[in-house]
Amino acid sequence: MLDQIGNLNPQLLRELKGRLTWRNILIVGALSIVAQVLVFLWFYGQLPTPEAYQYNPYCGHMVGGEFIQGCTENVSAKTFAIDWMLWWQHFAQALHTCIPFVLMLSGTYFLLSDLQNEERQGTLDFVRLSPRSASSILLGKILGVPILVYCAIASLLPLHIFVTSRAGNLSFLPSFYMMLAAGSYLIFSFTLLFGFFSKSTLKRSAQALGVTVFYVLMVGAIFVPGYIMWNSETVWKTLLTAPILYITSPDSSWFWFSLPISNNTAIAHLFTLLNIAILNGWVWQGLARCFHQPSTTILHKRQSYGLVFYLQSLVLGLSFQTYVSKGTDAPQAFGTVLLPIVLNLLIFLPLAAILSPQRQTVMDWARYRHTQSPRSSLLKDLLFHDHSPAGLAMMVNLAIAGILWLGISTFGTDRIWNGTQPNALLVLISLTTLALYAAIMQWLVIQKTSKRNFIAIALITILLLIPPAFAALLSSRGLISIPLRDIVLLTSPFLWSVSPEVVSPLAVLSALLGQLSFIAGINALIARQVRQIGASEMKDRFARLQPSGSAQ
């Protein structure tokens, strides 16, 4: 069997041989058994007893042959009964929640740690020399590096099946594991992409552990709960008696534009799996590119335009949700402002980091532009050349998002906005904020300092959190006016907290003018610095060539 695996995927065989030892398998098996026993004992300890049964969530009593949930002081110790169905449902719900966290967090940690070791030891360069394709090698890593985690999840399967069957949701398990596999493959692929993107940091053991832990925490705080919530509210909504995790009303429905997602199990599965497949396609384009060319950017600028159009279409369709229960048709509170602003933040900040070339890359591009004949168009280079500064490309990407939002707010008022077009204005202002952050990031990564990447991350984080926090604090103490607080909030990711109906036009205009002024100023600094870099490189080159020329 191992020979067959080696013929199909030598990288997978290499990973399995290094990890599937009897010692590791016994340790994983023992830890899994201990964890299952502890979880069972914890839930067993929650059951009511004759000494402690009142107000217990699993306690009930019989009235006229009918089971009534709840035990008060009027229920005696002799007449109370245990609500076993609720107990099994909560037990199953805990397993449904814990298994994705265990699989995805452990898997991302092992994958990043493996890349860290490969980069430090230099073995990844030898792997690149293999005649096998990048997809075969990286697929071997995804399947082989977290193999012990897969074994742990497999050992939980008997308990999971038994508990879910007692809870009355056994038909839910095939969907659960199908979506779990799809989501894990997506986040593991993205983890490899993140590992290649941060390869310079992973080579330094002092910083690698911090980067790995931070990334795993972000996956655990954003992706895993978000993925569980999405599936709980759409894909599994009709399969579960109670949702696992949700942020809207259990009676609400999800739409993508006019397509009902959560009301139809087949549509929900197809929609989710199709988008996961599309996202995986984009991720693997970046993986194939940076695996063979480690020093290049992850995405072509041309590719980024298509990616942004796809992601904005997805975000737009999901941003306009309406309640369908109890005869209401009111927009959900988080839908038309908070959701697109948060998702755009998660889209455009990583995109700016991916497209922004480092100082040496910009120097090579500036030298190339001065020496080539005939000289290429500067506009074409800025739009499509991957080594040129990313400012104009980011502005085009943000313009794509802005045009889509303007089109929806202009032509889709009756169906989507219900007369609340000011929400679209807040989203457009958030795009100018992201343009400012992208310009700052590009300016910082072309500086001479060796800590430029760390400085860029630290400064963007400070700009994200500190100004709105101080504005809210000072406003609550009466130290600054409400219009001034609104101006600061409008230039931050927290502008969704500003009511679009009551914010003053002056605050909106001031925020926009201030941001556009800073964007223009920073891009002017970038252009000036790039010209200086190109000129200094040419002077140094001629200075090195001049002695040899005079000697002749």
Side-chain angles (χ1 to χ4, degrees), residues 290-423:
C290 63
F291 181 79
H292 292 296
Q293 299 175 327
S295 60
T296 190
T297 55
I298 292 176
L299 284 177
H300 292 290
K301 288 181 178 178
R302 296 176 185 269
Q303 293 174 324
S304 71
Y305 304 141
L307 177 62
V308 167
F309 181 83
Y310 159 71
L311 292 175
Q312 286 302 306
S313 300
L314 184 63
V315 171
L316 269 169
L318 295 174
S319 297
F320 312 112
Q321 307 300 323
T322 55
Y323 287 115
V324 296
S325 63
K326 301 179 183 178
T328 63
D329 191 36
Q332 293 178 3
F334 70 95
T336 54
V337 178
L338 177 57
L339 185 65
I341 289 175
V342 172
L343 290 180
N344 281 336
L345 189 69
L346 297 176
I347 291 170
F348 285 108
L349 283 184
L351 185 65
I354 288 172
L355 294 181
S356 297
Q358 297 292 317
R359 177 180 175 83
Q360 184 59 49
T361 305
V362 175
M363 289 171 61
D364 295 339
W365 171 76
R367 184 191 311 136
Y368 157 81
R369 288 205 72 254
H370 281 83
T371 57
Q372 73 167 0
S373 180
R375 185 178 298 182
S376 62
S377 167
L378 177 60
L379 179 61
K380 184 178 179 181
D381 272 5
L382 292 175
L383 285 175
F384 302 115
H385 200 290
D386 297 327
H387 294 172
S388 65
L392 185 58
M394 282 302 302
M395 293 299 292
V396 171
N397 281 315
L398 291 165
I400 292 172
I403 291 171
L404 289 174
W405 279 93
L406 282 174
I408 289 294
S409 62
T410 302
F411 301 107
T413 300
D414 295 336
R415 165 65 182 87
I416 295 172
W417 290 109
N418 295 321
T420 59
Q421 294 96 331
N423 287 331

Side-chain angles (χ1 to χ4, degrees), residues 230-249:
W230 167 259
N231 287 308
S232 182
E233 295 195 10
T234 58
V235 180
W236 302 329
K237 187 169 186 177
T238 60
L239 301 176
L240 289 173
T241 55
I244 302 174
L245 290 174
Y246 59 90
I247 53 176
T248 63
S249 168

Side-chain angles (χ1 to χ4, degrees), residues 111-121 202-205 208-209 212:
L111 282 169
L112 270 185
S113 298
D114 179 75
L115 278 181
Q116 170 188 341
N117 294 330
E118 297 260 21
E119 286 285 359
R120 188 183 302 117
Q121 297 170 6
L202 294 179
K203 289 181 180 179
R204 306 184 186 97
S205 58
L209 180 60
T212 301

Side-chain angles (χ1 to χ4, degrees), residues 456-470:
I457 294 173
L459 183 57
I460 295 298
T461 304
I462 291 173
L463 291 175
L464 286 171
L465 302 176
I466 301 302
F470 267 97

Side-chain angles (χ1 to χ4, degrees), residues 59-206:
C59 181
H61 59 282
M62 304 299 296
V63 176
E66 182 180 356
F67 182 83
I68 304 299
Q69 188 175 8
C71 294
T72 61
E73 294 87 349
N74 299 325
V75 179
S76 66
K78 295 181 180 180
T79 59
F80 85 87
I82 297 176
D83 189 350
W84 286 106
M85 180 57 70
L86 182 63
W87 187 79
W88 286 114
Q89 287 177 356
H90 285 183
F91 197 169
Q93 192 176 39
L95 294 178
H96 300 335
T97 306
C98 292
I99 288 176
F101 276 95
V102 172
L103 175 59
M104 295 182 185
L105 296 188
S106 302
T108 53
Y109 177 80
F110 284 129
L111 282 169
L112 270 185
S113 298
D114 179 75
L115 278 181
Q116 170 188 341
N117 294 330
E118 297 260 21
E119 286 285 359
R120 188 183 302 117
Q121 297 170 6
T123 54
L124 196 59
D125 294 330
F126 290 101
V127 174
R128 288 190 176 100
L129 299 176
S130 170
R132 294 280 178 171
S133 63
S135 59
S136 174
I137 294 172
L138 297 177
L139 181 61
K141 283 197 167 294
I142 291 176
L143 295 177
V145 173
I147 186 63
L148 294 176
V149 183
Y150 301 152
C151 292
I153 299 300
S155 66
L156 289 172
L157 193 56
L159 176 65
H160 197 195
I161 293 175
F162 176 75
V163 173
T164 307
S165 65
R166 297 303 299 267
N169 295 122
L170 189 58
S171 61
F172 156 74
L173 281 187
S175 174
F176 174 82
Y177 281 102
M178 179 173 62
M179 303 310 298
L180 180 65
S184 299
Y185 185 71
L186 175 61
I187 193 60
F188 291 167
S189 301
F190 187 81
T191 299
L192 290 178
L193 192 65
F194 176 80
F196 287 122
F197 175 71
S198 57
K199 55 186 177 295
S200 60
T201 303
L202 294 179
K203 289 181 180 179
R204 306 184 186 97
S205 58

Side-chain angles (χ1 to χ4, degrees), residues 415-433:
R415 165 65 182 87
I416 295 172
W417 290 109
N418 295 321
T420 59
Q421 294 96 331
N423 287 331
L425 180 61
L426 291 183
V427 176
L428 294 175
I429 295 175
S430 72
L431 295 178
T432 62
T433 304

